[in-house]
Amino acid sequence: MPSSRLSQPRTLDDMLLYQLWQVHAAARRPVVRLCEAEFGITRREWRMLAQLGRGEGLASSALAERAALDRAQTSRAVGALVRKGLVSRTPRRGDRREVQLTLTPAGRALYDALLPRVAAINRELLAVLSETEVQTLDALLQRLRAQAEGIASRDEAQISRQKAPVR
């Protein structure tokens, strides 16, 4: 059987990461328009609200990890959400340097209004696939994510070993 262009890429267009990025770039446009035009928040702020909406009381570092953003990006987005009255910061007992982030009632209301709209965009995107194809895609994405995390961990370990001082 001949190799697929994804497994033997010859151009950028043949690469899995580029294909996934193209799907992401096209699919996020309606989400961005929805967030910005109707709800007055950025896509990054939506990502923060969505993560806080699924589990309250996160530290900023945990939120950054869940949202796959660096701490500086997370800090800026959280600051904007606090200024907009959508997120509150509460110092943790015993360590006032660390804060717990939670949705305010206004933040919860925005989350509750926006999540079904974004979910509808998600359903519309998947509408071109059968239920079996959606289940297969889900399983394949989970496997690809695990593989990508393994590659990243391996590379991070390799870099750490290279940076270790020689004695």
Side-chain angles (χ1 to χ4, degrees), residues 31-32 35-37 39-49 76-77 80-81 84 86 114:
V31 174
V32 169
C35 288
E36 292 177 353
F39 291 90
I41 62 172
T42 68
R43 178 179 46 92
R44 185 170 291 145
E45 291 167 355
W46 162 240
R47 195 178 329 170
M48 302 287 110
L49 285 175
R76 285 191 296 274
L81 290 168
K84 292 176 182 180
L86 301 172
L114 185 52

Side-chain angles (χ1 to χ4, degrees), residues 3 44 58 72 84 94 99 101 123 126 132 138 140 146 154 158 167:
S3 297
R44 185 170 291 145
L58 291 174
K84 292 176 182 180
V99 295
L101 303 170
R123 281 191 301 278
L126 292 172
T132 300
D138 185 36
L140 293 171
R154 181 199 67 212
Q158 211 169 24
R167 293 181 190 215

Side-chain angles (χ1 to χ4, degrees), residues 126-146:
L126 292 172
V128 298
L129 302 176
S130 70
E131 184 56 37
T132 300
E133 289 171 324
V134 171
Q135 290 172 359
T136 300
L137 176 61
D138 185 36
L140 293 171
L141 288 171
Q142 288 179 42
R143 286 173 52 196
L144 286 169
R145 182 175 180 178

